[in-house]
Amino acid sequence: MKYTNGRESNGDRSRKGGGGDVPPPSIQIDMSMVRRRGGGGGSSSFFEPWTPTPGSGSVVVRGGGSSGSSGDPTPHHPSGGGGREPPEKLLTLFALRLAVLEKAASGLGTLNFVWATVVLLGGFVSNLTLTDFWCITVILVGEGARVFGRSHELEWQHHATETSSTAAAAGVLRSSSRFFRRVLHFHAAVSDDGGAAAGEARANTKSSQVQRQLAAVAKQQRGWHAPDVSLLPYTSWVSAARNIGWLLHWLQVISAVSCVALSLMRLWKHDFFAGGSKNMRPALLLFYTLALLEASLFLLERAYWAWQFDRCKLLHKVADDCHLGACGPIAIRRFFYDAYSKCIDGSIFDGIKMDLVTFAEDLILSDFLDEQLIGVRILEQFATNAAASTGDTLRKIGTSPQSVERLVEMLSWKRRYEEDLRRSAAEVVCKLAGKRQNALRLSGIPGAIESVASLLYTGRGVAVSGMHPQPNAAAGGEDDDYLAFNLLGLRILKKLARDQDNCGKIENARGLLSKIIDFTKTLPNLLQNRHASDSQVRAVKHALQVVKRLVSTTGNTGEALRRGVAANVFAVCSLRGILRYGQLHRELQKLAIDVLAALAMDDTGKEAIMATGGLVKLLLSTFAGVEEEGEIGCNAGKALAMLALESEKGCAAILKQRADVVDLLVSALQDDGSDDRRRLNAARVLRSLCAYSGPKHRERLRVATKALPLVLRITMKENKELDNKVLEVCVGLTTQICRFIDGERFADELRAAGVEERAYVQRLARILRDYKYPEIRVPRMRRFVVQQVVWMMTCSRGDVYVELLREVGMEGLLGSIADTTSELECYHAFSGSVGIGKHRESFSGVVDIALELITAVGRAAPAHKGERLKGNYQTGGTEHLLTPKRNYYVGNSE
């Protein structure tokens, strides 16, 4: 019967290269059964590249094999790690040396066995003395005992037997490797009371706890923990597998010592009886010499092994250097056994091409939970530490599709005894998602997003009211367990959401968007509690970061996500709660405002914001408190600007909050000590209010004329001194303020700003020359300039300005612009390639109006024609620049 953890897995997880049953789960199971892809040969490739990229065909990770062919017997050097070779190379080199001794001893043993059975016992048996006969017999029995120990320990692991000593001798090379992988069972096993076994008396307590944990995990499965297997009833201690291994170990040592003693004794006495055959003496000399050499090499190997393990503490040293934590000694021991197995089973150089990352990938693909736990913990340590090799580790994992699929699959494992495994797998996946290419591979796995979503499970159902209980409310230790997984899930989603395609997959995952929004719900007592759990606050923070990335996505995907978030009845209310009660958590408030600014890009979001009582007031008060709010205040201004853009209702919602809203914006614009971003957003909001508020608010908006001298001075600055977005919004604001004044007042404002009329006209012409073609960064720059030119030609000083405009070549500039207008200039801003907020009148129509005015007024036209034009474009006082049917003054964009 095959005992597994009961999981179906993606891809091929059968143990290739071996048939029959597999051993029960154990941290000390036969390492030859660890999966070898491609048929089980020692030189087989560990993995095949998933998506090859130029220059990455032979990625080297921690000095092991590359992602290309593993047939090259030359050991690779690490590509990272600060120039220091990976610590596990000490183990692979040690395994190589042991393999040389073992293969030499095994070869001599095989030759000696054949020599004794064929030559001595077959040819000279009647001429042998009684002493030589029994010495040969004892030596062969000792050799058979050692072969028996090697082969039968393996068979115990496979629940089978091999009784023929001849067959065992023929398979000595194969069996010896399997024996030595487990000959240290005595050293590796830990007793039930937690004490370390002989040879590991100094093992630290954490390592012992990990081993007990692995044994406990194995007991959860339908199988035995191999060292605890009792082979005979009522003889549990004597026949326990770990003790049998201990007995076999010493049986081989005693056999080798007796072989050395007998061989030395016969070679020393040298009293062979020729018995009529001159060849018998050299045959006996060769036999005893080979037996002595074979046994001596075996004992030398064992001594070297014991010295490195017990005196030099090689395993613990490598474990410490690899920073594997409590599971280090166990993982390193397993790695060494596998490397030694490869050196014995195949070429002696096969083992030195191994590295811990590849070894861990093999373990996570196993069907046994204890092996998977060791493998995923190795990957977690290497993926999360700050070493220079972390990038190579993640690259190697990312190019192995089976490993990535298994890690993603582990995220959805919810059994209680699988929690540690699931948590470690989530940590590795989180690091993988930090690389864009790996993130795309992760999301490309069928069901990957759903597996990540399973980490957001809170252990509670939906309340009757429809609101989930707060995942960040104190609810006991069980909730804390769920919260750890929730944090990991949100971190993974945050990294995946950096890609637009992944955002679309998150949107399409059933119920996932609602789960994410649920984590933004906070209670006042959490936000106002200075001693609140850091994990609870981080859950809210990560959820807000995910939502921010989703609603900030460009293109049609972003538009759909913004509608989906705005349609959630709890989303905007949760953001209001954070703004109202989150004074102790400024970062949360900043994220909430960024989400609101993104939602305000669409009409659905505007409606949701305005329908949430007190939210606009909170944004306005946050923007007003510049000294206290800082960057948060600037972001609040951006949200207000987006809310007012192309929305009369949005403008009304802002104006009704405070009687001095316009004064506040003008003051923010005139404050030289303010942040430039705050002044920019103040100009944007003020321009939108002037453009879209409607006639009933015109008297309140007259105060905006106080800002005109400053705006004119900013406009006169050259482009090198001025950000092009600031220039764009200043020209647009000038046009809107001019709606409240006539030509004479405008000339006075120019003089107050220290600007001559001719210089101002020349500045407008230079802007059009600088922007011969539309630019997506400032798509309305040319539109605003042309609008200002139209106003100047239709104001009470229109004749003067027409002459100035003709002198600077404005007619020719307008003609050039008419030939280069684009659909790009019909929108306020863009989300990727999708326009946001289309203007009410096309830009080509605005240019045609300007050309018609400058040519009609410029030529000697009949008086009635000039009057008709002025009638069409009413000027002066507080009239609109254009009639309502042709009003093309629309809002600004971020």
Side-chain angles (χ1 to χ4, degrees), residues 761-773:
V761 172
Q762 290 174 341
R763 176 59 175 147
L764 295 179
R766 281 200 305 273
I767 293 174
L768 292 181
R769 291 190 180 97
D770 291 340
Y771 294 90
K772 294 180 180 179
Y773 302 97

Side-chain angles (χ1 to χ4, degrees), residues 713-730:
R713 285 195 296 270
I714 295 175
T715 304
M716 294 303 296
K717 293 182 179 180
E718 294 298 329
N719 288 354
K720 294 181 180 179
E721 307 174 36
L722 191 64
D723 183 85
N724 51 9
K725 285 194 173 186
V726 175
L727 178 60
E728 179 192 51
V729 71
C730 284

Side-chain angles (χ1 to χ4, degrees), residues 291 526 541 616 625 857:
L526 171 65
K541 174 184 172 182
V616 178
V857 178

